[in-house]
Every structure is written in structure tokens, then in C-alpha cells.
Amino acid sequence: MILRRFQSRIIALLIAVVASAQLATLAVVQVATERSVAAQLQRDLEVGQRVWQRFFESRSSQLIESSAVLADDFGFKAAVASGDPRTMRSALDNHGSRIGAGATVLLSPDGEWLSGSDALASGGRADALRPLFKEASEQGSALSLLVIDGRLYLMVLLPVLAPHPLAWVGIGIAFDDEQARDFQGLTGLEANFVRSRAETLDLFGSSLAVSLQPTLAELPADVGERPVAVTLADAHFLAQREPLLAADGDSIDLLLLASVDQAMLPFAELRQRILWLAGIASVIALGIAVLLGRGISRPVSGLAAAVRRVQGGDYSKPVEVRGHDEIAQLAGAFSDMQQGIAAREARIVHQASHDGLTGLPNRSLAVRRLQQALSRPLPDDQRVVVALLDIERFKEINDKFGHRFGDEVLLELSRRLQHAVRADDTVARLGADEFMVLLAGVERGQVQRRADALLAQLRQPLQLSMARISLDAGIGLALAPEHGDDPETLLRRADIALYEAKQKQIGIAVYQPGRDEQHLRQLTLMTDLRLSIERRELSLRFQPKVDVSSRRAVHVEALLRWTHGELGPVGPDEFIPLAERSGFVHEL
């Protein structure tokens, strides 16, 4: 009886020791878990800040590039110079729809409203746009956040030059729920665009559940640029503010929320399983309990080390996953999360320099590659060739078949262009239906042949899902070093050559010296032509028609002449086509 009682005490003591060891292990796991989760969430917020900076820079770069393409477009300048409101509005709407803009605006050189989208057509638009116009007037351009009619816009304002300012064109994208959900999809963090005032909090966009959005007004005042633990309707988060740029002086912030509850879900299941294992271990043996404790603490320590590596920005070393238990599943989930963060950062970097539809390099990357090609020495008989390509009547394709079919056309053309060039050449999409092909190291005598091959590829019929179509295109060529030694000059002159190829319908045109001045002259004449009547610069010359047999004047032909105030006499063969292009021919 005593032996049995002693054995019972020994067994009870062993069970108590094993249970105590398991409880201690559980306590260690709990502390390590909370620390790991806290470190993970802080790291997520830091990554979220960096991702936001790249997200914002990417949106800003795309917005500036799209606006610059519109401001530099010759057809748009002609529409602005014509002064026709419907033409200007149509050009704004078409470009805005292509890039998914939330708002477009066209202002006069003095900042007066000329045209714009319905999103900015409220009564308070002048007050809302005034700070942006003031900044653009002082610095030549402006990019800022604006609050218009309770919506938050990232707006860019650029001048339309010809060569003097004709107007100011502005394009904006709305920072609303859609943008917040896009950012939440990249980072896993809840994003909120807020404006803090004296006792109120304005919410412009949020990825939070609708039921939680009203509770944002109850956030404590100490939520700043460092993580702070907050509770929203029994949901626990780490909150952090990221100040945003604003033109009107309001405190507009990006409020990032990392869910503590979501991060703790895997660990809650882990705690339950550890307790269950502790009960079994109390029955079988102390040694098994010790081994089990080691089996739990070791992978948790490995997870903590992995968290510290990720916190330092090192994603290269994967988390070691051993076995098939719950800890291994957690380690695998953490490894997947680490790879996902690294992939998202790489994807954001790629999106900032490539076209979203075709995957081709965008304008910024194309300019960098052109600069690199110009910096490399070439033999005397080789050239760097910049070819700008523009599809004829592409707008008609979009209008007739829809933008989805137009996107399919662009994808097929991008594949053809890539197959038509060498591996070290570059094919880039600059915007809409405009492509650039960079040919580096081409012999001077082979330039025309290479351009003919590109045009032949574009002219081959396309067999697509909805129809079989044939396209035509124009190609403008500029060569370095003959036509320029910097990217800006070469792109501008290739564009001038492209315009000549399309105007004369010759397919391919090489830039000719002096075309810059002719291009600027045409823009100046098109602008001044509308003022010629008011300035009394137009006059009529009467040429008699004489009947030879009777030697009498039987008819008179009236000929229009224009004497420009600065450029002198301008021939009708020059200004009549400009009048027809700008819609001024009826007044003449």
C-alpha cells in the first residue's frame, strides 16, 4: 500500500513536472509568438511605407508621363489652338479614358476654365484648382493632392507650349476605395486616405470593412509616424500615419492598419494543439515531454530569427521547414509570406518601368536605355537609330470594335515588333498607339532596310478574335549623332519625321535638318491665324481674266493674301492647309 502510494506520488510528481514543463513551454511560445507577431507587423508597416512610396511614385510617374504625352501631342495642340470647346473636351475625354483618369481639366494661360471633365465641373472648381495653378505658374509644372467636392485627387498640371504657352492641361486620378484596395492587395495592410481637422476626420478612401470605417473617427490623437496599438470595434490593429503632400495646407495622411487579430490566428491554433500535446505528454513520460518541448521551442526560435532577418530587409534566405507538424506549417506560411513580400516589391519596381498592357518598357525606361546607347562608343560607320511608330486610324478601331479589341491589336503589334528586331534592340510603348524602336549599332546603309522591315511587319494583316484587319503606320527616324546626341532631341526630331511621314503618306521619313524651325513655325501660324482678321493682316488681290479676242476683262479672281506682323508675307499654299486643319477655313 505504501509502495503503491509512493509510486502514485512519483507518478504524480512526474506528471506535475511534465505538466509544468509543458506549461512553461507554452508560456515561452506565447511570449515568443507575441514578440514575433509584433516584430512582423512592425516590419509589415515599414515595408508598407516603402511600398507606398514606390506606389505613389509609380502613380505620379505614370500621371506625369501621360499628361506630358497629351501636352506634347500635335493634334491636341492644334485642338487647343483652334479654340473649339467641343474639340478640346473630346481630346481630354479620349486621353483621360485611355489612362483611366478620374478628372481632366484645361485652363487658359491666365488660369481661367476652358474645358474639363464633369468631376471638376462644380462651382468650387476655381478655388480648388487655384493653389495648383499658382504652383505651376511659378515652377513651370505642378503635382499635388487636391480635395475637390469631397474627393481626393492626385493632380498634375503641365503647360501646352507652341512654343509659347497656349493653355494648361491637368490630369488627375482619384485616391478612393479602389486605390486603397489596390494598395491593400499589394501589402496586406488596410489603407485609408484621411484628413484630420479640429474635431473631425474626413475619409476619402478605405480598404477597411464598411462596418469598421465609422470607428476611424475614434482613433487616439497619438497615432503618428510610429506604430501605435489601437482597437476599432473589438478589432485590434497596429496603426501608423504616413503624411501626404497637399497643395491646400490640410493635414492629409495615409493611415496604415496592420491587423493583430489576423496575425495571431495561426498562433491561436498552435496554442490549442500545444495544450493537447501537453495532456498526452503528462501520461506517457517525462523524456517525451522534454523532447516535445525542444521540438516546439527550436522552430519558434528559428521563426524569431527569420522575423529579424525580414525586419532587416533580407528576403534571400528561406525559412527552414522541418517535419509536418503545426510549427512546420507556420514556418511554411511565414516562408510564403516572405517570398510574397519580395515578389510584390519586385513587381512594383517592374510596373514603374514597364507598360501595364504590353509589358514593354515605358517612356522612362526607354529614355534610360537610349541614354545608355548614346554613351557607348560606336564605329564611325554605325549609328544609333530612334524609330517612332504611330498606327493610322487607331482611334477608329477603338470606336468601331471597342477598347478591348484595340488592346488586342496593341498586344499583337508589340509581339510583331519584338520579333522584327534583334535581341539587343529595344521596343517600347510610349503611350496610346505610339511605339519606339531603339536600334543600336546599325550601319548607315542598313537603316532604310531595317525601317522597311518594321513597316512590313506592321502592314501584315492581323487575324484577331473579332475580325481580320489590315493596318498602316508611319515611321519617323532620327539618327545619332547626325540629328542629335541626347534623348530629348532625338525623340523630338523622330516625332517631327513621323509627322512628315503621316502627312505625306510616304510610310517612312528621316528627319531633315531645319524641320524643327518649320514645326515651330506651323504651330505659330496656326495660333496667329485666328487673330489675323482682328489684326487686319488679311487682304484681297484681284486678278483680272481677259478675253483675248475682245481684249476686255470679263471676270475677276479674288486672291487672299496674309501679311504676318512678325513673319511677313505668308503664302496661301502654307496657311490654307493650316486653316483647314484647325477648322478656321470657314471664317476665311
Side-chain angles (χ1 to χ4, degrees):
M1 181 67 69
I2 297 176
L3 180 60
R4 185 177 297 174
R5 185 179 301 171
F6 179 73
Q7 289 177 345
S8 299
R9 290 180 179 177
I10 293 293
I11 292 173
L13 179 61
L14 290 176
I15 291 176
V17 170
V18 172
S20 299
Q22 290 298 321
L23 291 176
T25 301
L26 181 61
V28 170
V29 170
Q30 180 66 24
V31 173
T33 295
E34 292 176 353
R35 292 179 178 177
S36 298
V37 167
Q40 172 189 332
L41 294 181
Q42 289 182 6
R43 176 58 187 164
D44 288 347
L45 288 172
E46 292 176 3
V47 171
Q49 284 181 312
R50 294 200 299 268
V51 172
W52 167 253
Q53 292 171 359
R54 295 188 181 182
F55 183 88
F56 187 84
E57 290 173 359
S58 174
R59 292 291 191 273
S60 300
S61 298
Q62 293 174 3
L63 189 59
I64 292 173
E65 291 174 5
S66 300
S67 302
V69 169
L70 179 60
D72 291 339
D73 184 74
F74 181 83
F76 179 71
K77 291 180 181 180
V80 175
S82 69
D84 185 357
R86 283 192 291 181
T87 303
M88 295 185 291
R89 175 64 182 270
S90 175
L92 287 173
D93 290 345
N94 289 339
H95 191 77
S97 63
R98 285 198 299 270
I99 67 173
T104 56
V105 64
L106 186 67
L107 303 179
S108 71
D110 298 327
E112 297 296 327
W113 178 274
L114 294 179
S115 184
S117 59
D118 295 335
L120 300 182
S122 66
R125 65 193 179 196
D127 293 336
L129 294 172
R130 188 172 293 111
L132 189 67
F133 175 72
K134 180 180 179 182
E135 181 182 350
S137 300
E138 295 174 351
Q139 300 181 8
S141 62
L143 173 72
S144 184
L145 291 172
L146 296 177
V147 178
I148 302 176
D149 285 347
R151 300 193 69 188
L152 181 63
Y153 292 94
L154 176 63
M155 179 75 69
V156 64
L157 194 62
L158 296 176
V160 181
L161 303 175
H164 304 295
L166 292 177
W168 294 88
V169 62
I171 298 179
I173 56 176
F175 274 15
D176 50 14
D177 291 350
E178 182 178 356
Q179 296 288 339
R181 286 191 292 268
D182 287 346
F183 184 77
Q184 194 269 347
L186 288 174
T187 63
L189 301 174
E190 302 292 347
N192 307 272
F193 303 107
V194 299
R195 175 172 61 183
S196 300
R197 295 188 176 182
E199 297 180 359
T200 61
L201 185 76
D202 296 331
L203 181 63
F204 302 108
S206 176
S207 61
L208 270 176
V210 177
S211 59
L212 291 179
Q213 292 181 11
T215 62
L216 290 174
E218 304 172 4
L219 283 175
D222 60 345
V223 176
E225 298 184 32
R226 298 185 63 83
V228 176
V230 298
T231 301
L232 302 177
D234 297 329
H236 301 87
F237 298 89
L238 277 185
Q240 183 171 327
R241 289 181 185 266
E242 178 72 14
L244 303 180
L245 176 66
D248 53 6
D250 286 338
S251 176
I252 299 178
D253 303 306
L254 169 68
L255 178 63
L256 298 178
L257 298 175
S259 175
V260 178
D261 299 332
Q262 291 293 331
M264 289 295 294
L265 283 178
F267 297 100
E269 181 182 355
L270 176 62
R271 285 197 303 270
Q272 295 296 327
R273 292 184 179 272
I274 291 176
L275 288 174
W276 181 73
L277 291 174
I280 296 177
S282 300
V283 177
I284 55 177
L286 176 63
I288 297 177
V290 172
L291 293 176
L292 183 59
R294 291 179 179 177
I296 294 176
S297 60
R298 191 173 298 166
V300 170
S301 299
L303 280 177
V307 169
R308 288 191 292 271
R309 287 198 307 272
V310 173
Q311 185 177 10
D314 181 10
Y315 308 113
S316 59
K317 186 176 181 181
V319 180
E320 296 184 4
V321 180
R322 297 180 180 178
H324 302 282
D325 58 6
E326 291 74 16
I327 300 295
Q329 294 176 11
L330 177 62
F334 187 86
S335 179
D336 294 340
M337 182 197 71
Q338 172 182 311
Q339 296 174 5
I341 293 175
R344 284 195 294 269
E345 288 194 1
R347 186 165 60 251
I348 290 172
V349 173
H350 182 271
Q351 290 175 349
S353 57
H354 289 76
D355 176 56
L357 173 64
T358 63
L360 295 175
N362 59 17
R363 178 179 291 270
S364 61
L365 181 56
V367 170
R368 289 199 299 270
R369 290 189 179 178
L370 177 55
Q371 184 64 58
Q372 293 171 359
L374 294 174
S375 63
R376 290 192 292 265
L378 291 176
D380 293 339
D381 61 338
Q382 292 187 3
R383 300 290 185 270
V384 174
V385 181
V386 176
L388 288 186
L389 298 81
D390 188 81
I391 308 303
E392 297 286 352
R393 297 183 299 278
F394 183 73
K395 183 178 181 302
E396 297 178 9
I397 296 176
N398 276 335
D399 293 341
K400 183 176 181 180
F401 297 101
H403 290 284
R404 180 175 297 179
F405 184 79
D407 292 344
E408 190 176 350
V409 171
L410 293 175
L411 284 170
E412 179 61 28
L413 289 178
S414 67
R415 285 191 288 266
R416 287 192 176 185
L417 289 174
Q418 293 179 86
H419 290 152
V421 299
R422 301 172 302 188
D424 55 347
D425 295 332
T426 296
V427 178
R429 184 187 177 199
L430 303 186
D433 59 337
E434 186 178 15
F435 293 84
M436 185 197 86
V437 178
L438 171 61
L439 308 174
V442 180
E443 294 184 4
R444 184 64 178 85
Q446 297 295 318
V447 172
Q448 186 65 38
R449 184 183 65 82
R450 295 288 302 276
D452 290 337
L454 288 175
L455 188 59
Q457 282 288 338
L458 294 176
R459 287 176 171 175
Q460 290 183 10
L462 302 178
Q463 185 64 48
L464 302 176
S465 59
M466 295 177 58
R468 184 175 187 268
I469 63 173
S470 296
L471 299 176
D472 201 357
I475 300 180
L477 303 177
L479 284 63
E482 291 97 321
H483 304 148
D485 56 4
D486 63 274
E488 181 180 355
T489 301
L490 289 172
L491 285 171
R492 185 180 72 252
R493 292 181 170 176
D495 188 56
I496 293 173
L498 173 61
Y499 173 76
E500 181 179 357
K502 296 176 65 175
Q503 185 183 36
K504 297 181 179 179
Q505 298 183 352
I506 57 176
I508 301 172
V510 182
Y511 171 79
Q512 301 296 326
R515 295 298 186 187
D516 295 78
E517 294 77 5
Q518 182 180 358
H519 184 68
L520 292 175
R521 175 182 173 89
Q522 288 181 346
L523 290 176
T524 300
L525 291 177
M526 192 177 296
T527 301
D528 293 344
L529 187 56
R530 288 195 170 272
L531 303 175
S532 60
I533 298 178
E534 179 182 345
R535 295 173 177 173
R536 299 183 179 276
E537 294 177 349
L538 297 176
S539 61
L540 287 176
R541 295 292 182 268
F542 297 98
Q543 178 174 295
K545 300 295 183 179
V546 178
D547 184 353
V548 177
S549 60
S550 63
R551 296 189 178 184
R552 294 178 60 252
V554 294
H555 299 287
V556 174
E557 181 180 6
L559 305 177
L560 186 63
R561 296 293 182 262
W562 181 19
T563 303
H564 192 278
E566 297 179 0
L567 303 178
V570 181
D573 57 339
E574 183 177 7
F575 71 81
I576 292 299
L578 296 178
E580 293 174 345
R581 195 183 312 156
S582 63
F584 189 64
V585 70
H586 300 291
E587 285 83 347
L588 290 186

